[in-house]
Amino acid sequence: MLIKTGDTVEVIAGASKGKQSRVIEVLRAEGKALVEGVAKVYKHVRRSQKHPQGGRLSKEAPIQLSNLAYFCSACSKATRLGARFTNDGSKERFCKKCGASAGELAPAKKAHAKK
């Protein structure tokens, strides 16, 4: 799973197909993500001190990661992500269509110092 919180993604399947938005949270154990303004559902809330009016609250529902594609700002297309090592030994994500970097995945590993 190379999609991270804060990435811009495009929905490629489902009722919200074609929408582009930002990832709010990635639920790794479930293989799902919360995407801002996509897959809205209503939660019916009883009157309480927290919600004195009661009624229906609109919120985002989790979407399967397989239904999302990373939106590359360099080539302006929805694409898959790959992982590669850079010259300094750190691991980065990259766009499979244009090869542009999409951010660091892991810092460079430190070499063991010999005495």
Side-chain angles (χ1 to χ4, degrees):
M1 288 187 258
L2 296 176
I3 293 177
K4 291 178 155 187
T5 302
D7 285 346
T8 302
V9 294
E10 185 174 319
V11 180
I12 57 173
S16 302
K17 183 177 179 177
K19 286 188 180 178
Q20 295 173 9
S21 194
R22 191 175 57 85
V23 176
I24 299 170
E25 183 183 358
V26 178
L27 308 168
R28 298 224 178 266
E30 300 170 28
K32 296 183 178 191
L34 288 175
V35 182
E36 196 173 83
V38 176
K40 299 287 260 184
V41 293
Y42 289 107
K43 179 178 172 72
H44 294 78
V45 181
R46 184 182 292 269
R47 285 187 199 176
S48 64
Q49 285 188 342
K50 188 175 180 183
H51 302 286
Q53 186 69 30
R56 297 173 11 169
L57 294 178
S58 180
K59 64 182 214 172
E60 289 90 3
I63 302 173
Q64 283 285 337
L65 285 170
S66 63
N67 295 335
L68 300 175
Y70 177 80
F71 187 79
C72 179
S73 56
C75 59
S76 299
K77 294 179 184 175
T79 181
R80 291 175 300 172
L81 288 174
R84 65 182 174 204
F85 288 99
T86 58
N87 293 335
D88 66 342
S90 62
K91 201 172 186 182
E92 72 173 358
R93 303 179 303 155
F94 71 97
C95 171
K96 290 271 193 157
K97 287 189 179 175
C98 68
S101 177
E104 193 174 85
L105 248 179
K109 290 185 178 180
K110 295 178 183 176
H112 295 288
K114 292 186 178 181
K115 291 183 179 181

